[in-house]
Amino acid sequence: VQLVQSGAEVQKPGASVKVSCKASGYSFDSYGISWVRQAPGQGLEWMGWISVYNGYSNYAQKFQGRVTLTTDTSTSTAHMELRSLRSDDTAVYFCAKEGAAPYHFFEYWGQGTLVTVSS
Amino acid sequence: EIVLTQSPGTLSLSPGERATLSCRASQSVSSSYLAWYQQKPGQAPRLLIYGASSRATGIPDRFSGSGSGTDFTLTISRLEPEDFAVYYCHHYGSSPYTFGQGTKLEIK
């Protein structure tokens, strides 16, 4: 199992960023994908998850209205778009493959994508 | 939202010693929905334990998890040099999924 994420991004405040996560080594549409972020020197923060099987998504209230999770089963890729970026969105963003439903532990992780928000 | 509080914040031990890390939940958590992760600097977290006590694939048996209700424990029976890292507990039973703030295990 491998999750390979897109490269580092630098964005200005107010802009949007879209991070991708390409999965391999398992049946992509059989497991959910969660997104977790980690600000510099801080702990882990769950953002939301998506069912690859039916596209259902669930977001942490903190990110409601600013984040959209999508998947493309033709390329086994998940995407996370975060809009209206602020400086405190500067963080490493991880995608993670979940365990078999309904167990949403994070079995495998991508390598992380650093998003820097700076004017 | 279930708040997870880990203690201690930092644990200083020597290789060969036993480590006991605690995770307390603000309300009862089903044992089926509690996990532990290890994270080293510059790396993604790695799943150690799920379902409170089941070891993930490839995890050495010196790592064990226990607990129920609001109190959970990760035990490392004999510390190896590669075990010094930050450990997080994680609840995934209901949204929003939450993490503890982490326990840093450092070499004494």
Side-chain angles (χ1 to χ4, degrees), chain A residues 57-118:
Chain A
S57 57
N58 184 303
Y59 303 115
Q61 188 169 13
K62 175 177 181 177
F63 300 101
Q64 286 273 5
R66 271 210 313 144
V67 69
T68 301
L69 303 183
T70 55
T71 61
D72 181 346
T73 55
S74 69
T75 60
S76 298
T77 302
H79 302 276
M80 184 281 299
E81 182 180 31
L82 186 62
R83 299 176 292 278
S84 302
L85 290 168
R86 308 184 287 255
S87 58
D88 63 357
D89 290 319
T90 294
V92 176
Y93 290 76
F94 296 100
C95 62
K97 170 192 174 292
E98 298 188 342
Y103 303 108
H104 299 277
F105 56 83
F106 306 144
E107 193 174 20
Y108 295 95
W109 296 66
Q111 83 277 18
T113 296
L114 175 62
V115 174
T116 303
V117 182
S118 174

Side-chain angles (χ1 to χ4, degrees), chain A residues 15-73:
Chain A
S16 299
V17 69
K18 192 169 186 177
V19 178
S20 66
C21 168
K22 184 170 177 57
S24 61
Y26 71 98
S27 178
F28 181 63
D29 58 1
S30 296
Y31 300 88
I33 294 281
S34 262
W35 289 84
V36 175
R37 77 177 186 179
Q38 186 170 39
Q42 302 301 308
L44 302 171
E45 181 175 33
W46 177 75
M47 300 178 68
W49 80 277
I50 184 166
S51 166
V52 179
Y53 176 72
N54 61 17
Y56 173 80
S57 57
N58 184 303
Y59 303 115
Q61 188 169 13
K62 175 177 181 177
F63 300 101
Q64 286 273 5
R66 271 210 313 144
V67 69
T68 301
L69 303 183
T70 55
T71 61
D72 181 346
T73 55

Side-chain angles (χ1 to χ4, degrees), chain B residues 6-11 21-22 36 85-88 101-105:
Chain B
Q6 293 186 239
S7 61
T10 302
L11 185 57
L21 287 67
S22 174
W36 290 91
V86 179
Y87 292 82
Y88 295 94
Q101 82 280 17
T103 289
K104 181 179 181 181
L105 179 55

